[in-house]
Amino acid sequence: MADDIVWHDHKVVRSQRAENKNQKPCLLWFTGLSGSGKSTIANALDVALHNRGYHTFLLDGDNVRHGLCKDLAFSDHDREENIRRVGEVCKLFADAGLIVMSAFISPFTSDRRLVRKLFPAGEFIEVFMNTPIETCESRDPKGLYQKARSGQIKDFTGINSPYERPPHPELCLDTSRMSVVDCVEGLIAYLLEREMIARKD
Ligand code: ADP
């Protein structure tokens, strides 16, 4: 980084932005295999929070790869850069006072740790989608497992590219056993318990 680029402190700080919204900023980082339910659950939580009047934003892996990260492929290096950029963008949204959700496979522990380090303690909430690969593959919502098995996609996580399970996630969800509603209720309960959101009567 150039030495003559100086950080500008903002007059309105993130806690003030969040206070205006009656919430605490945080990032719910959904990680897991393709088809494990990251997008489905993150979207359902987004709707549930939005309907309760909270200010949220959702970043989705596929969508980001259409714009911000369209120059990146799926090599280890490109996956790392993808997550680095996404982490920084999530941080900006959290600085704006929002409850942020992200749905990225993010297979490497070291990359997820880098994003965690961008956030104050308690504000990075790792949600591990612990859905068995057999379920993910049988769902195959985008037909990608079939393509990977037939050799049309290389570097596909879970098939010919590794997924490192998070050692200490804040939350674990197995969507082969839990319904979408159960998962969302669990997440809302977690946010209430940690006072990221307030109970509304
Ligand atoms: P990912 O974002 O992890 O790739 P998706 O959310 O895109 O996964 O796909 C999960 C698929 O599994 C969707 O087609 C969804 O409808 C289906 N599904 C079935 N049961 C569940 C459940 N309990 N929770 C989440 N998704 C489920």
Side-chain angles (χ1 to χ4, degrees), residues 6-19:
V6 179
W7 183 265
H8 247 283
D9 282 329
H10 293 188
K11 296 254 191 286
V12 182
V13 298
R14 74 203 292 272
S15 57
Q16 293 168 312
R17 294 183 198 280
E19 252 165 51

Side-chain angles (χ1 to χ4, degrees), residues 32-41 60 62 103-105 129 131 135-136 139-142 174-181 183:
L33 297 171
S34 178
S36 60
K38 300 179 297 297
S39 293
T40 304
I41 303 301
D60 192 285
D62 288 340
F104 295 84
I105 296 174
M129 305 307 289
T131 310
T135 305
C136 300
R139 287 176 179 162
D140 207 4
K142 297 166 202 145
D174 175 353
T175 62
S176 71
R177 295 163 181 268
M178 294 170 76
S179 70
V180 175
V181 171
C183 292

Side-chain angles (χ1 to χ4, degrees), residues 108-127:
F108 303 129
T109 305
S110 55
D111 297 346
R112 296 188 302 257
R113 196 175 291 142
L114 273 182
V115 181
R116 184 185 285 273
K117 281 191 188 152
L118 294 174
F119 285 79
E123 288 189 13
F124 179 88
I125 302 161
E126 193 169 40
V127 185

